[in-house]
Amino acid sequence: MSYSAFSVDKSASASSLPVVDLRSDTVTRPSPAMLAAMMAAPVGDDVYDEDPTVRRLEETAAARFGLEAGLYCPSGTMTNQIAIKAHTEPLSEVICEQTAHVYLWEVGGIAFHSSASVALLAGNRGRLTAEQVEGAIRPENLHYPTTRLVCLENTHNRGGGSCYSWDDMAAISDVAKRHGLARHLDGARVFNALVATGQRSQDYSQLFDTISVCLSKGLGAPVGSVLLGSADFIKKTKRIRKVMGGGMRQAGYIAAAGLYALENNVERLADDHRRATRLAEVLRQQPYVTDVLNPETNLVIFRLHDSQPAAEFLETLEQQGIRASSFGPQWIRFVTHLDVDDAGIARVEEALQQVAQLA
């Protein structure tokens, strides 16, 4: 049976209501206060190292994570790929989980930019263990690439916003250090992990040589990520950013949004987590849903019954002014964020319940 063919009689049509966009936390728009901060930003030519707002963002982000310096870039894909390029050389290898963003969603960038191989490991909702990492390190052999880098992702996107425990990250870090490997964190949603676990951002410098921090997801900035590391490493990466076309001029206007996000939008991530949990509870009650991954942060991933075609389900939500994403055959992803309040979540709940009631 398909649960998709229904209409809901409302006094206000769906088209007259604001869209509830759960496709991603990248869809947020700057608040009036963020826009004001952007317009007031002092700027200069960042390629000449003359933009004071960019400098302040880089320094602020680095200090938060106990590292020396930062490099502001247009995207998290760029910060990840710059880090991998700087940590490796051709004929080397990167260890990561098989659904890691750096491997799965960055257009084969490791091969394209770094001419490096990838050792893919099957994790638990994207999380690796120290034993897995140690087992993937190549022995010295003419026929093998040389293991150079371990890359973790926290939270893990394909794992439904899953978080590493401190002990598990520390154990992996110890293995990497013992074998002389560099350690990179794809921290696209690292602030979600910090809020969910209570870990301290300043302590992350004990675990990772470099960290990519995204400002345009849950923190709500319109664009930008910062690569963090030692002063010498960041100096090296500026040249790589340049050849990738990432040198920006008066970038302080968008960097100011990132600063505002760091100063105002971190603690409120707990609201997104609460709303994700609320959605998961409602989804578990629906007869057309077979599986719901426990949301540790702001991502809710669930599987529809085979009788409910995913495309029709998404179209049904779209008719109610609700947007979501397909996340594989019969799997759907909801992402909560600062542009979806409790009233928006209530609309989603009502639409999900109507699917079952009118089937």
Side-chain angles (χ1 to χ4, degrees):
M1 178 189 302
S2 173
Y3 291 91
S4 62
F6 71 92
S7 61
V8 182
D9 183 16
K10 298 287 185 184
S11 58
S13 68
S15 62
S16 69
L17 294 170
V19 170
V20 179
D21 197 337
L22 298 175
R23 290 174 300 167
S24 177
D25 44 7
T26 62
V27 302
T28 58
R29 298 184 181 183
S31 65
M34 181 180 284
L35 287 170
M38 295 167 69
M39 292 300 97
V43 299
D45 191 321
D46 186 48
V47 175
Y48 287 119
D49 289 324
E50 292 177 354
D51 193 301
T53 307
V54 171
R55 293 289 80 71
R56 189 157 70 90
L57 172 61
E58 292 170 338
E59 292 165 1
T60 299
R64 278 212 176 209
F65 286 88
L67 291 164
E68 293 178 342
L71 184 73
Y72 186 47
C73 294
S75 71
T77 293
M78 181 174 282
T79 49
N80 281 331
Q81 293 301 321
I82 286 174
I84 292 168
K85 175 71 174 175
H87 281 306
T88 64
E89 64 280 328
L91 308 182
S92 61
E93 189 163 68
V94 178
I95 296 173
C96 67
E97 208 274 340
Q98 63 185 2
T99 61
H101 195 281
V102 296
Y103 172 75
L104 198 61
W105 300 111
E106 298 185 7
V107 208
I110 295 174
F112 185 80
H113 295 294
S114 300
S115 300
S117 179
V118 186
L120 298 175
L121 305 178
N124 172 21
R125 290 185 60 176
R127 294 167 295 209
L128 301 177
T129 66
E131 292 74 19
Q132 284 181 293
V133 171
E134 187 144 35
I137 298 171
R138 301 278 192 175
E140 185 64 35
N141 188 302
L142 177 66
H143 301 89
Y144 297 152
T146 304
T147 308
R148 284 282 182 258
L149 174 65
V150 177
C151 184
L152 304 185
E153 182 178 332
N154 195 32
T155 69
H156 197 92
N157 182 13
R158 291 291 296 191
S162 56
C163 304
Y164 273 97
S165 73
W166 178 266
D167 289 344
D168 286 346
M169 288 191 296
I172 293 171
S173 179
D174 288 344
V175 167
K177 287 190 287 187
R178 190 166 67 249
H179 289 273
L181 308 180
R183 304 154 296 157
H184 175 68
L185 176 68
D186 176 1
R189 294 184 176 92
V190 68
F191 285 106
N192 291 90
L194 292 166
V195 168
T197 63
Q199 296 163 358
R200 285 170 22 100
S201 59
Q202 295 91 336
D203 296 335
Y204 269 49
S205 60
Q206 301 172 26
L207 305 179
F208 301 101
D209 299 299
T210 53
I211 302 172
S212 169
V213 176
C214 187
L215 304 167
S216 62
K217 292 189 170 68
L219 297 190
V223 65
S225 291
V226 186
L227 176 61
L228 310 175
S230 70
D232 286 344
F233 186 90
I234 294 302
K235 182 178 180 180
K236 175 181 179 180
T237 61
K238 284 189 177 182
R239 184 180 294 268
I240 301 172
R241 183 184 66 176
K242 176 65 176 177
V243 77
M244 289 185 180
M248 296 182 285
R249 300 299 178 175
Q250 288 72 36
Y253 293 116
I254 52 175
L259 275 168
Y260 181 91
L262 288 175
E263 293 166 358
N264 296 278
N265 290 347
V266 174
E267 287 76 13
R268 63 146 308 280
L269 291 172
D271 294 333
D272 299 340
H273 301 173
R274 172 178 55 81
R275 290 169 180 141
T277 298
R278 179 175 159 186
L279 285 175
E281 291 170 353
V282 173
L283 285 162
R284 291 190 183 101
Q285 299 168 12
Q286 307 313 313
Y288 53 85
V289 174
T290 62
D291 297 282
V292 182
L293 297 186
N294 183 46
E296 298 181 25
T297 50
N298 68 320
L299 276 63
V300 185
I301 296 178
F302 59 98
R303 189 186 187 282
L304 299 171
H305 193 280
D306 288 341
S307 63
Q308 171 58 71
E312 293 181 12
F313 175 78
L314 291 171
E315 176 59 26
T316 295
L317 293 184
E318 183 78 31
Q319 291 170 5
Q320 301 304 313
I322 298 163
R323 294 176 180 168
S325 297
S326 174
F327 218 53
Q330 292 301 104
W331 287 90
I332 304 295
R333 186 183 76 167
F334 289 166
V335 186
T336 55
H337 51 77
L338 59 81
D339 281 359
V340 178
D341 59 12
D342 287 333
I345 296 299
R347 280 181 55 200
V348 178
E349 290 176 344
E350 186 177 4
L352 293 173
Q353 291 162 350
Q354 288 286 345
V355 173
Q357 293 170 4
L358 300 179

